């Protein structure tokens, strides 16, 4: 049986149009299935960062704000991310963490709405905690209240008192993909604004921000975008909202003429309004370098491979692992699946520790969920077969 699946894996790898991308990354023989938490290092990034430090900072010093393009990096890199999430240029800026951008986006959405009768901010009840914490504070500061909602029940909860809705495109725990086009349309039908968190979808599947009329969005860059630990996040403000977007964090970088150093705040036009203070250049330029791995890559091809990888993983797990030993929390339907598989199992902490010892790197969400992220640019089908085989060996030893 395992010979058959190993042969299938070899054939799938041989036919994989993205297989060549793996050599762009610094990887060893471990199977790295944690790119949904920290993407792998693109191999050329260390030299580029060394150049930023040695030459741009060390030699050019202050001149680099102009000559090395430091000052405009947030919007320049934003435009590169825009092409990966279906946004036209001029709508995304990079900077700050996802947490901070959730704050800007939720307060910004309520202020754009500017309707005191709309008292509620709906938030995905199963959200990654930081989004919920920040949204609660943003709601309190704007005199609104938070209403937790299961995205599946959104249509029955949303109504004339809804100001804005904050949802995750892909659930970080289960790997469930939510229907962004349909949910955005439902939010608009109710007269509310849609704020999407793309942390687990950007770089893994097509998002279509412009096409589906999303109002605001945020996301991180260190998961499927491989920007590096703590690399800066981004905020998308749809062009039609930019003139009225009233950031709760108006810094000098969001001013129309920062170097005028005037006491009164006059917001810049466009996405730049989403900036706050001096950009963290070292992290930001590491991110910019890392985005080179996307040159010539189609996000549709990434999505097709991602689904093929997760399908194959589920097939291998079903074949190798005794019935009932693990329960898959990730939906089987392609339309509802992100780029990770979450398996619930007894003794999950021990199982993940053992997997890591044997070179299969996933992660644990306490108490009992094993998460495996599949980054199509550097994970192959032989990796998938090996991961499922090692998992079955570890489970057999319990
Ligand atoms: C990864 C992730 C974050 C991380 O936020 P930070 O501010 O970068 O720590 C936030 N929200 C979601 C949904 C995530 O998946």
């Amino acid at each position: 049986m395992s010979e058959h699946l190993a042969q299938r894996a070899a054939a799938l790898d041989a036919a994989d149009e993205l297989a060549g991308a793996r050599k762009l990354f610094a990887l060893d023989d471990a199977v790295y299935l944690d790119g949904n938490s920290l993407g792998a290092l693109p191999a050329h990034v260390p030299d580029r960062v060394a150049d930023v430090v040695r030459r741009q900072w060390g030699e050019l010093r202050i001149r680099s704000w102009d000559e090395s393009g430091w000052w405009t990096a947030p919007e320049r890199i934003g435009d590169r991310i825009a092409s990966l999430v279906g946004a036209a240029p001029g709508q995304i800026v990079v900077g700050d963490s996802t947490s901070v951008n959730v704050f800007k986006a939720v307060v910004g959405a309520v202020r754009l709405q500017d309707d005191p009768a709309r008292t509620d901010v709906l938030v995905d009840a199963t959200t990654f905690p930081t989004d919920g914490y920040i949204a609660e504070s943003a709601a309190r500061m704007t005199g609104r209240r938070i209403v937790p909602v299961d995205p599946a029940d959104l249509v029955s909860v949303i109504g004339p008192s809804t100001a804005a809705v904050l949802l995750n495109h892909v659930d970080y725990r289960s790997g469930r993909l939510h229907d962004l086009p349909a949910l955005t349309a439902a939010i608009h039908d109710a007269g509310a604004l849609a704020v999407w968190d793309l942390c687990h979808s950007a770089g893994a599947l097509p998002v279509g921000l412009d096409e589906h009329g999303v109002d605001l969005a945020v996301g991180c860059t260190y998961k499927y975008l491989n920007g590096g630990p703590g690399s800066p996040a981004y905020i998308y403000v749809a062009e039609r909202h930019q003139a009225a977007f009233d950031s709760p964090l108006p810094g000098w970088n969001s001013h129309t003429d920062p170097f005028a150093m005037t006491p009164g705040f006059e917001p810049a036009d466009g996405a730049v309004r989403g900036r706050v203070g001096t950009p963290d250049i070292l992290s930001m330029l590491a991110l910019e370098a890392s985005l080179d791995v996307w040159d010539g890559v189609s996000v549709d091809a990434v999505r097709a491979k991602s689904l093929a990888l997760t399908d194959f993983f589920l097939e291998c797990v079903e074949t190798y692992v005794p019935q009932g030993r693990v329960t898959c929390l990730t939906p089987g339907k392609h339309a509802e699946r992100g780029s990770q598989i979450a398996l619930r199992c007894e003794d999950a902490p021990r199982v993940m520790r053992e997997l890591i010892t044997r070179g299969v790197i996933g992660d644990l969400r306490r108490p009992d969920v094993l998460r495996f992220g599949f980054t199509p640019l550097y994970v192959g089908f032989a990796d998938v077969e090996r991961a499922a085989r090692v998992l079955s060996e570890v489970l057999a030893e319990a």
Side-chain angles (χ1 to χ4, degrees), residues 97-100 127-128 130-131 168 172 197 199-200 220 222-223:
S97 61
T98 302
S99 302
V100 171
T127 190
F128 189 94
T130 203
D131 296 51
N168 295 292
Y172 78 100
D197 184 321
C199 281
H200 283 271
C220 73
Y222 49 75
K223 292 171 183 165

Side-chain angles (χ1 to χ4, degrees), residues 294-318:
W294 292 95
D295 289 349
V297 171
S298 115
V299 180
D300 288 329
V302 166
R303 173 61 170 164
K305 181 174 172 187
S306 159
L307 289 172
L309 287 168
T310 50
D311 274 343
F312 189 58
F313 183 66
L314 290 173
E315 183 185 341
C316 292
V317 167
E318 197 162 299

Side-chain angles (χ1 to χ4, degrees), residues 37-345:
S37 194
L38 177 66
L41 170 71
H44 67 286
V45 168
D47 285 346
R48 291 274 291 278
V49 171
D51 178 65
V52 171
V53 174
R54 292 222 169 80
R55 188 180 56 82
Q56 297 185 9
W57 179 15
E59 296 170 24
L60 298 176
R61 291 181 288 265
I62 195 87
R63 288 163 55 189
S64 273
W65 283 108
D66 287 327
E67 290 177 25
S68 304
W70 288 359
W71 186 263
T72 50
E75 47 272 25
R76 179 176 72 244
I77 302 168
D79 282 348
R80 285 183 74 177
I81 291 171
S83 70
L84 300 174
V85 292
Q91 300 177 99
I92 292 183
V93 276
V94 173
D96 312 309
S97 61
T98 302
S99 302
V100 171
N101 283 301
V102 166
F103 178 74
K104 296 179 209 168
V106 174
V107 174
V110 172
R111 288 180 175 177
L112 280 166
Q113 262 289 343
D114 197 24
D115 179 353
R118 292 188 176 266
T119 51
D120 300 348
V121 175
L122 309 192
V123 176
D124 188 339
T126 56
T127 190
F128 189 94
T130 203
D131 296 51
Y133 304 156
I134 300 261
E136 194 280 330
S137 176
R140 203 149 32 94
M141 288 178 61
T142 51
R144 303 304 196 274
R145 59 170 197 152
I146 284 289
V147 179
V149 58
D150 181 334
D153 302 332
L154 182 82
V155 184
S156 60
V157 179
I158 198 166
S161 57
T162 308
V165 183
L166 171 64
L167 295 173
N168 295 292
H169 197 188
V170 174
D171 185 274
Y172 78 100
R173 184 188 291 269
S174 66
R176 176 182 290 273
L177 170 65
H178 294 301
D179 188 344
L180 179 144
L183 290 169
T184 302
I187 292 165
H188 288 166
D189 283 347
L193 293 185
V195 182
W196 283 94
D197 184 321
L198 310 179
C199 281
H200 283 271
S201 60
L205 50 99
V207 179
L209 288 177
D210 288 349
E211 181 187 348
H212 304 303
V214 168
D215 299 291
L216 295 139
V218 302
C220 73
T221 61
Y222 49 75
K223 292 171 183 165
Y224 295 100
L225 294 175
N226 315 304
S231 58
Y234 56 89
I235 180 167
Y236 163 90
V237 180
E239 193 176 5
R240 65 185 177 284
H241 291 310
Q242 288 176 352
F245 177 64
D246 180 7
S247 171
L249 294 172
W252 72 299
N253 277 226
S254 25
H255 193 281
T256 186
D257 186 5
F259 290 94
M261 308 277 176
T262 56
F265 180 71
E266 264 183 63
D269 286 336
V272 173
R273 197 175 288 195
R275 288 176 61 163
V276 184
T278 305
D280 39 2
I281 291 297
L282 299 184
S283 302
M284 197 166 284
L285 298 192
L287 164 64
E288 182 171 38
S290 74
L291 291 172
D292 286 355
V293 299
W294 292 95
D295 289 349
V297 171
S298 115
V299 180
D300 288 329
V302 166
R303 173 61 170 164
K305 181 174 172 187
S306 159
L307 289 172
L309 287 168
T310 50
D311 274 343
F312 189 58
F313 183 66
L314 290 173
E315 183 185 341
C316 292
V317 167
E318 197 162 299
T319 309
Y320 293 154
V321 174
Q323 189 84 33
R325 190 64 179 79
V326 296
T327 313
C328 183
L329 303 181
T330 310
K333 281 191 203 153
H334 285 177
E336 297 175 3
R337 192 193 301 161
S339 201
Q340 81 175 39
I341 296 294
L343 301 178
R344 173 167 282 155
C345 90

